[in-house]
Amino acid sequence: MTRTPVVVLISGTGSNLAALLAAAAEEACPYEVVAVLADREASGLEHARAAGIPTEVVALRDHPDRAAWDRALTAAVAAHDPRLVVLAGFMKLVGPRCSSPSAAGSSTPTPPCSPAFPGAHGVRDALAHGVKVTGRSVIEVDAGVDTGRILAQRAVDVLEEDTEEALHERIKAVERPLLVEVVRRLTAAR
């Protein structure tokens, strides 16, 4: 079976990447992670390095402006000729070139059940708003902040005793298998 090449972008510990790599190790998996890129020397890159997958850091600070960084990131992604780009905990907005569906197609898990609480502080915002249910969405990346087409969602109850950290950990436990499910579905269809 020919597997669909996937590039994963990360910024942190790589728990979503680890889940994607574990699924990719299964014989029937329809995708292969061909490269992992980060916007900083993230600890999550070790998951890829341990699996022998090429890694690269494309740091914003190494470029004169966002546009130059976006061009560099786009070129780094394109060098691996992916059919899908997955933003798995990537904490930077990507420009139109990198998020263009014609370039590869992108998906990302977003904070709680977007579009209700977009951005990097969705869990905190959901708690401050007093919601009883939140969760995780996986969306298609577009030019906005968490405004893309929703590909999948899972709900997570907000408990009375929840702190931001506790709720975030429970959401991440839902996020990992949800992201793998979406990436499997998207790559099986290619």
Side-chain angles (χ1 to χ4, degrees):
M1 161 176 65
T2 302
R3 293 181 174 203
T4 302
V6 172
V7 169
V8 180
L9 307 183
I10 68 168
S11 290
T13 62
S15 60
N16 283 321
L17 171 62
L20 290 166
L21 291 174
E26 298 169 10
E27 188 175 319
C29 186
Y31 68 85
E32 173 187 12
V33 177
V34 297
V36 177
L37 309 178
D39 63 327
R40 62 188 66 134
E41 188 54 49
S43 61
L45 290 170
E46 291 308 315
H47 296 295
R49 291 174 180 145
I53 296 169
T55 64
E56 184 176 348
V57 174
V58 183
L60 179 59
R61 70 177 176 276
D62 294 340
H63 301 278
D65 55 33
R66 281 286 278 202
W69 173 78
D70 188 59
R71 287 190 300 275
L73 181 63
T74 300
V77 168
H80 299 282
D81 198 26
R83 294 290 314 251
L84 181 68
V85 178
V86 178
L87 283 65
F90 192 67
M91 299 306 291
K92 295 268 191 290
L93 295 175
V94 295
R97 284 185 170 140
C98 202
S99 64
S100 167
S102 62
S106 302
S107 66
T108 186
T110 61
C113 285
S114 287
F117 300 101
H121 303 291
V123 173
R124 181 187 65 200
D125 296 344
L127 283 170
H129 194 71
V131 299
K132 301 300 178 201
V133 177
T134 187
R136 189 58 93 196
S137 300
V138 177
I139 64 166
E140 188 172 78
V141 175
D142 65 9
V145 177
D146 299 339
T147 58
R149 179 174 62 103
I150 295 171
L151 301 172
Q153 284 184 321
R154 292 290 184 276
V156 174
D157 289 334
V158 178
L159 307 176
E160 258 329 286
E161 65 275 8
D162 266 336
T163 63
E164 183 177 346
E165 182 178 293
L167 179 57
H168 195 260
E169 287 305 311
R170 286 204 338 280
I171 290 171
K172 284 170 51 175
V174 169
E175 172 184 65
R176 294 191 271 292
L178 180 63
L179 181 61
V180 169
E181 173 188 314
V182 170
V183 172
R184 282 182 185 272
R185 181 169 32 99
L186 291 174
T187 56
R190 291 181 184 263

